[in-house]
Amino acid sequence: MYSGSSDGEGHDAPQRKIPPASSMTWVRNLRRYIGSGAGLGSEALMELETKRILLEIFKEKQQKNAEAGAIPSFYRKKPEEGSISHRVQRLAKYRFLKKQSDLLLNADDLDAMWVCLRENCVIDDVTGAEKMNYEDFCHIASVCTEQIGPKCRRFFSPSNFMKFEKDESGRIAILPFYLYVMRTVSLTQARIDMSELDEDSDGFLQTHEMEAYIRGLIPNLAQLRDMPAGFVQMYCRIAARKFFFFCDPHRRGKACIKKVLLSNCLQELMELHQESEDEVTDTEQAENWFSLTSAQRICDMFLALDKDMNGTLSKQELREYADGTLTEIFVERAFDEHVRRGKSGGGNAREMDFESFLDFVLALENKDTPEGLSYLFRCLDLHGRGYLTTADIHTLFRDVHQKWIEGGNYELCIEDVRDEIWDMVKPADPLRITLADLLACKQGGTVASMLIDVRGFWAHDNRENLLQEEEEPEEE
């Protein structure tokens, strides 16, 4: 019924022809007006600019893919400073770190959690320790969530409860659990702080970024609050160098943030939180690399060795280290392996700067660690073959033997010392000693001391008397 025409006539009415949009003058003018961006607000202009940039990036990526064929790209150019992509990256990083920081427990939250733990635990009848079973654990989780908020809920998961040692009744002590929470919060906060300083967001800290992190910690560390302002920069250099010595084994000039967080260095630095330096013994201060006493000692040591006061150490000046007990061949090898040549060229131009000196001291004071022993093994490996032979041991110990005799000690046979070293190490290959052998025998530091320092050999030769002297004060 609807097939007929509206005017009732049998033939079709002539249709009006609509011109294409491109031929209309007002359409062309409107497109030209919008395309120029005139009359648009700032948001619309930003949207147009964003679309243009994204289109250029897409076309550039298509072109690179076409040129590269099937080979995937393995390098991405970092965004230029001030570019839109760089600003977006920084904004996204700031918002992410801000969100993670808001999820952390603060000092008041931790205090409230400790109160909840103590009020809802049970006392062990035998040991007197404060403990909780899984039901108490779940109840405390509910109480803490009400008082603190949902951000504490993640610590009260079943998997966390199973991490701790349980007694015969299935209970765990509340103190280890609380220390675990504090440790987690502390490490997370440290990671956020380090990530904020990571300018290129690659997960690594460069030297100046690590120094900035340490500088920010100084006001919060009880033992460093009274540090003279003029010594802060030098302290940061000394402190940061230990992180790079242990967390940057390939000396690339950057340390992985994850590795820094898991290293003993950060824990040693955080020990300065605990108590005032006046209450710490002199021995404890000297053993902690990050203490103010230790930093001043190292700085004074370098200044005392630098006779010509040019800011670097020559071989002759370094030979006076440790009262001149180090062998000449070791000092020579340390310069060969760990000191860069001077810009003027030539062997005489090579001198040790302060950073290289810090590595030198760290290696000698941490001979039993893989990092310290690796540093020293490169010096002991006279021919760079990756192993030591009996001839190498003989050559290295010859200088120690000479200093030993000059010190008025008894005559000894170099071959006997060589055989003793072989018995201590028990290498996998009876004809050579590798770095892996020194690490596996657990006496690598002692062996290295015997070969580079006459005082180290004396300590090994008198180890029984020294051990007896250490035991006598304890008995008294």
Side-chain angles (χ1 to χ4, degrees):
M1 61 184 281
Y2 296 102
S3 59
S5 60
S6 58
D7 56 2
E9 298 180 2
H11 57 82
D12 296 335
Q15 297 182 353
R16 296 176 59 188
K17 207 168 187 182
I18 301 176
S22 58
S23 63
M24 298 182 184
T25 306
W26 67 272
V27 173
R28 292 198 303 270
N29 293 338
L30 179 60
R31 287 179 176 176
R32 190 181 302 112
Y33 181 73
I34 295 177
S36 64
L40 295 179
S42 59
E43 293 184 3
L45 286 173
M46 187 177 297
E47 184 69 21
L48 287 174
E49 180 68 12
T50 303
K51 287 182 178 180
R52 184 185 65 80
I53 292 174
L54 292 176
L55 183 60
E56 290 180 358
I57 294 175
F58 177 72
K59 289 181 178 179
E60 183 181 357
K61 187 175 181 180
Q62 277 190 327
Q63 183 180 357
K64 287 183 177 180
N65 290 339
E67 294 175 356
I71 302 177
S73 60
F74 57 90
Y75 171 75
R76 294 182 183 275
K77 187 178 180 181
K78 294 179 181 178
E80 297 180 0
E81 185 75 23
S83 63
I84 292 182
S85 57
H86 181 259
R87 294 178 183 177
V88 170
Q89 186 184 64
R90 290 186 61 181
L91 180 60
K93 173 183 171 182
Y94 168 78
R95 289 186 175 180
F96 173 76
L97 294 178
K98 180 69 167 58
K99 180 180 179 181
Q100 296 301 315
S101 182
D102 293 340
L103 294 175
L104 284 180
L105 301 178
N106 56 35
D108 294 336
D109 296 335
L110 291 171
D111 292 341
M113 179 182 288
W114 178 241
V115 172
C116 290
L117 287 169
R118 298 202 66 184
E119 289 179 350
N120 295 276
C121 67
V122 294
I123 308 297
D124 190 287
D125 296 333
V126 179
T127 62
E130 297 171 314
K131 297 185 176 182
M132 57 181 172
N133 57 25
Y134 187 68
E135 293 181 359
D136 299 329
F137 185 75
C138 295
H139 174 67
I140 293 172
S142 302
V143 175
C144 287
T145 303
E146 293 176 1
Q147 296 184 5
I148 301 173
K151 58 184 178 181
C152 70
R153 189 74 192 178
R154 65 189 183 97
F155 294 108
F156 292 92
S157 63
S159 59
N160 278 347
F161 183 84
M162 295 301 295
K163 291 177 181 177
F164 299 91
E165 183 180 359
K166 292 170 279 297
D167 60 12
E168 62 278 0
S169 302
R171 300 175 300 183
I172 66 172
I174 66 170
L175 182 58
F177 173 76
Y178 180 69
L179 294 177
Y180 160 77
V181 174
M182 290 185 63
R183 173 77 170 160
T184 303
V185 171
S186 176
L187 285 177
T188 306
Q189 184 62 60
R191 182 169 188 178
I192 292 173
D193 295 339
M194 292 181 188
S195 298
E196 288 179 349
L197 296 168
D198 182 14
E199 296 175 357
D200 50 6
S201 303
D202 62 348
F204 290 82
L205 290 182
Q206 300 179 30
T207 304
H208 68 280
E209 295 168 343
M210 178 59 73
E211 291 178 5
Y213 172 72
I214 295 172
R215 190 178 297 109
L217 284 179
I218 290 176
N220 300 321
L221 298 176
Q223 298 183 26
L224 301 179
R225 287 173 186 161
D226 299 329
M227 182 187 301
F231 190 68
V232 171
Q233 183 177 358
M234 180 61 68
Y235 173 83
C236 292
R237 288 178 65 187
I238 295 172
R241 199 62 195 174
K242 184 164 186 176
F243 283 99
F244 283 89
F245 183 82
F246 285 97
C247 302
D248 181 27
H250 300 295
R251 302 295 179 262
R252 296 182 298 173
K254 57 182 183 178
C256 178
I257 292 178
K258 290 183 180 180
K259 197 168 184 179
V260 169
L261 292 172
L262 297 176
S263 68
N264 293 328
C265 301
L266 186 63
Q267 185 176 354
E268 185 180 357
L269 176 61
M270 293 304 175
E271 287 177 3
L272 304 182
H273 266 300
Q274 303 302 320
E275 49 195 336
S276 174
E277 194 170 4
D278 297 334
E279 302 174 6
V280 184
T281 63
D282 294 339
T283 304
E284 291 174 338
Q285 291 180 22
E287 290 178 352
N288 191 326
W289 175 270
F290 300 101
S291 68
L292 183 58
T293 302
S294 175
Q296 291 173 334
R297 171 184 65 86
I298 294 165
C299 190
D300 293 341
M301 187 191 310
F302 182 83
L303 294 175
L305 292 173
D306 187 14
K307 301 297 183 182
D308 55 5
M309 301 181 66
N310 65 342
T312 58
L313 300 180
S314 64
K315 294 179 183 179
Q316 185 62 36
E317 290 172 335
L318 188 62
R319 290 190 183 103
E320 299 302 318
Y321 180 88
D323 299 327
T325 59
L326 298 178
T327 63
E328 291 190 11
I329 190 172
F330 170 65
V331 173
E332 291 281 348
R333 290 293 299 152
F335 270 77
D336 290 341
E337 294 294 331
H338 302 290
V339 178
R340 296 185 297 271
R341 289 188 180 274
K343 295 181 179 179
S344 58
N348 295 332
R350 182 184 295 187
E351 292 206 350
M352 179 179 285
D353 59 15
F354 188 61
E355 278 70 25
S356 299
F357 176 74
L358 293 176
D359 289 342
F360 182 81
V361 176
L362 282 165
L364 291 176
E365 295 185 356
N366 298 273
K367 291 186 290 290
D368 294 319
T369 64
E371 293 81 7
L373 198 54
S374 299
Y375 181 102
L376 297 176
F377 185 81
R378 288 179 58 185
C379 302
L380 299 177
D381 186 8
L382 302 178
H383 304 286
R385 297 173 296 191
Y387 59 86
L388 308 179
T389 63
T390 54
D392 296 329
I393 299 297
H394 189 282
T395 303
L396 291 166
F397 190 74
R398 190 168 51 201
D399 282 6
V400 177
H401 178 261
Q402 181 180 350
K403 287 181 175 291
W404 175 265
I405 298 301
E406 291 174 354
N409 297 289
Y410 65 88
E411 182 62 50
L412 52 83
C413 179
I414 297 180
E415 284 71 20
D416 292 341
V417 176
R418 181 195 62 195
D419 294 340
E420 182 179 1
I421 290 175
W422 235 258
D423 292 337
M424 292 169 63
V425 178
K426 295 181 176 60
D429 187 336
L431 299 178
R432 58 183 63 174
I433 294 176
T434 63
L435 175 60
D437 294 327
L438 291 175
L439 292 171
C441 74
K442 306 300 182 183
Q443 300 186 76
T446 302
V447 172
S449 296
M450 294 169 61
L451 295 175
I452 66 175
D453 187 356
V454 65
R455 187 179 294 172
F457 177 75
W458 182 89
H460 173 73
D461 190 59
N462 294 272
R463 57 192 179 279
E464 295 179 358
N465 296 333
L466 294 174
L467 183 62
Q468 186 177 358
E469 291 177 2
E470 292 177 358
E471 292 176 350
E472 286 177 357
E474 294 178 0
E475 294 175 358
E476 294 175 359

